[in-house]
């Protein structure tokens, strides 16, 4: 089947671009002896995660226990990091079941979380890895002193193994904070085999933080508007797209596509001074400015050439993570032909 025969709206990935991204990011991290641990919350696809591991990734990152359950069931059980405070009986029971059949590490930023993890691990005779999360504006402990206090608690808790620290995002300017934390860990003899940074936009500056042992990146294989904006990806390197059809031309300066927020997600991004929901590959001067649930609105005022009703267009997503989560399947393309159709295995895995 050729791309023109795909019923729209549809999520597509160009395999040549996807494989190029896997190679160039893996080569960078290999060069700087930092382990690459892909975050599968972007594509949520077992097949794509296996391709990342074959390229040289050291393991995977899953944001939620349910994502990890899907990936481990799909054979990705070698080394799984869940960088999230896992709280509540239901989640803890599922986490321990995972840890009994895969190497699993989770993060924590409170005694409440650590106590719950330890109680669950002891109750089910499981050994669970835990890393201390450092605060960068989302979750995490805010000071080196609190990091050491929590690290000691983890190290002393039955059923738990202290495996290090993590931070998100990890731009170069966080290095002094990271160094302070590691110095305090050294003073009291706490281990840190894992020093984990993250965020795809920071990936190519990871070498400026030589303390990092690994890096978590999610969006790098498929790209998105953010990556176009900062120059880490060209249009061709943005492998993940939504294929859509023009279904209406209400006037000369407007086109409507059959992909709205239920296909693109409602995420927006800044691009060339404009807030957009996506980038129209075939019409780079067009402005995908908004959408209702099933209709995307494209402003054509700046376009010399304009699409016709029935024409297919490809949309680079404002934010690939929620965009991929809107779809059941991915059409993997090479040279305009469908080479594979992959399920979005962990779609909706939010618990």
């Amino acid at each position: 089947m050729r791309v023109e025969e795909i019923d729209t709206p549809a999520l597509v990935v160009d395999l040549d671009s996807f494989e190029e991204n896997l190679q160039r990011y893996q080569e960078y991290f290999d060069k700087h002896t930092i382990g690459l641990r892909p975050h599968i919350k972007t594509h949520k696809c077992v097949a794509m995660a296996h391709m990342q591991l074959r390229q040289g990734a050291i393991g995977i990152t899953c944001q939620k226990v349910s994502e990890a359950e899907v990936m481990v069931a799909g054979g990705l059980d070698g080394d799984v990091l869940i960088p999230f405070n896992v709280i509540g009986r239901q989640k803890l029971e599922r986490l321990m079941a995972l840890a009994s059949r895969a190497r699993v590490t989770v993060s924590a930023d409170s005694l409440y979380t650590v106590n719950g993890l330890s109680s669950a691990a002891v109750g089910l005779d499981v050994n669970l890895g835990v890393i201390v999360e450092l605060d960068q504006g989302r979750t995490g402990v805010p000071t080196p002193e609190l990091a050491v206090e929590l690290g000691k608690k983890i190290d002393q808790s039955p059923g738990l193994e202290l495996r290090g620290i993590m931070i998100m995002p990890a731009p170069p300017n966080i290095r002094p904070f990271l160094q302070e934390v590691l110095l305090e860990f050294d003073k009291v003899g706490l281990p840190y085999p894992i020093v984990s940074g993250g965020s795809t936009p920071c990936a190519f500056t990871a070498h400026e933080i030589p303390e990092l042992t690994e890096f978590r990146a999610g969006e790098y294989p498929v790209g998105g508007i953010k990556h176009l904006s900062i120059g880490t990806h060209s249009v061709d390197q943005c492998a993940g797209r939504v294929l859509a059809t023009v279904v209406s031309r209400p006037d000369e300066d407007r086109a409507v596509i059959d992909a709205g927020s239920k296909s693109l997600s409602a995420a927006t991004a800044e691009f060339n001074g404009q807030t957009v929901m996506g980038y129209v590959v075939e019409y780079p001067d067009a402005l995908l400015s908004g959408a209702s649930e099933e209709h995307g609105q494209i402003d054509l005022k700046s376009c010399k050439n304009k699409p016709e009703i029935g024409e297919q267009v490809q949309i680079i997503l404002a934010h690939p993570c929620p965009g991929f989560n809107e779809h059941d399947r991915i059409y993997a393309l090479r040279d305009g032909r469908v080479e594979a159709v992959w399920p979005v295995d962990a779609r909706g895995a939010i618990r």
Side-chain angles (χ1 to χ4, degrees):
M1 179 168 63
R2 290 198 57 81
V3 61
E4 295 86 0
E5 301 174 80
I6 299 174
D7 194 15
T8 63
L11 179 62
V12 300
V13 166
D14 182 84
L15 285 171
D16 287 336
S17 299
F18 177 79
E19 291 165 359
E20 178 190 349
N21 291 334
L22 296 193
Q23 181 178 355
R24 66 194 183 96
Y25 275 77
Q26 191 66 56
E27 287 178 349
Y28 167 82
F29 285 102
D30 288 347
K31 175 182 177 181
H32 296 289
T33 62
I34 301 170
L36 175 58
R37 184 186 293 277
H39 207 318
I40 62 82
K41 71 174 183 176
T42 295
H43 55 68
K44 291 176 170 274
C45 175
V46 168
M48 295 170 82
H50 275 295
M51 292 174 70
Q52 290 171 299
L53 285 181
R54 287 196 295 270
Q55 190 68 44
I58 62 169
I60 61 170
T61 311
C62 300
Q63 195 65 15
K64 295 294 185 70
V65 173
S66 53
E67 283 186 348
E69 288 172 328
V70 171
M71 294 294 139
V72 169
L76 295 146
D77 56 1
D79 195 335
V80 181
L81 172 63
I82 305 173
F84 207 88
N85 287 298
V86 179
I87 291 173
R89 180 183 57 81
Q90 302 96 323
K91 290 184 177 66
L92 287 168
E93 288 178 353
R94 289 163 45 217
L95 175 64
M96 298 309 148
L98 271 177
S100 69
R101 64 183 195 271
R103 177 180 168 83
V104 176
T105 304
V106 299
S107 67
D109 71 355
S110 72
L111 292 174
Y112 185 101
T113 300
V114 171
N115 289 334
L117 294 171
S118 179
S119 295
V122 169
L124 294 172
D125 194 26
V126 170
N127 182 57
L128 180 70
V130 185
I131 56 178
V132 176
E133 182 175 5
L134 308 178
D135 181 26
Q136 276 291 97
R138 188 164 63 183
T139 51
V141 294
T143 67
E145 293 74 22
L146 289 174
V148 168
E149 179 182 327
L150 193 61
K152 286 180 179 177
K153 175 64 176 177
I154 295 166
D155 198 43
Q156 297 163 0
S157 295
L160 305 185
E161 176 189 343
L162 177 62
R163 292 182 180 162
I165 62 174
M166 65 161 279
I167 195 163
M168 165 70 190
N173 63 9
I174 60 93
R175 189 185 178 200
F177 179 33
L178 207 60
Q179 288 175 313
E180 287 184 57
V181 173
L182 296 179
L183 178 61
E184 295 302 316
F185 269 49
D186 284 335
K187 286 179 180 178
V188 295
L190 289 176
Y192 48 89
I194 294 174
V195 180
S196 184
S199 181
T200 297
C202 304
F204 287 146
T205 57
H207 66 281
E208 297 181 39
I209 311 173
E211 292 79 11
L212 293 177
T213 65
E214 66 172 49
F215 198 90
R216 310 177 317 279
E219 299 174 0
Y220 76 95
V222 296
I225 295 247
K226 172 74 171 180
H227 311 291
L228 277 180
S229 297
I230 64 177
T232 59
H233 292 64
S234 65
V235 170
D236 288 343
Q237 288 169 332
C238 289
R241 303 172 180 190
V242 169
L243 182 69
T245 299
V246 177
V247 294
S248 178
R249 285 289 311 277
D251 57 54
E252 180 65 17
D253 292 329
R254 187 158 56 104
V256 181
I257 55 176
D258 60 354
S261 62
K262 286 183 175 178
S263 303
L264 306 170
S265 88
T268 60
E270 295 300 311
F271 187 67
N272 289 340
Q274 302 275 2
T275 301
V276 299
M277 292 186 70
Y279 175 92
V280 186
V281 174
E282 294 82 1
Y283 298 93
D285 294 323
L287 181 64
L288 178 49
S289 53
S292 52
E293 292 182 7
E294 304 292 0
H295 297 85
Q297 300 285 340
I298 302 179
D299 185 332
L300 302 172
K301 290 187 185 71
S302 299
C303 296
K304 181 179 179 181
N305 299 313
K306 303 180 181 184
E308 301 295 333
I309 294 175
E311 184 176 338
Q312 284 188 351
V313 293
Q314 295 190 19
I315 310 298
I316 295 173
L317 293 162
H319 189 181
C321 301
F324 272 65
N325 195 53
E326 295 287 353
H327 295 262
D328 290 322
R329 62 187 62 86
I330 300 164
Y331 293 87
L333 308 176
R334 199 183 305 275
D335 297 327
R337 291 191 174 275
V338 177
E339 190 168 294
V341 181
W342 297 321
V344 183
D345 303 275
R347 181 186 182 191
I350 57 173
R351 295 184 178 87

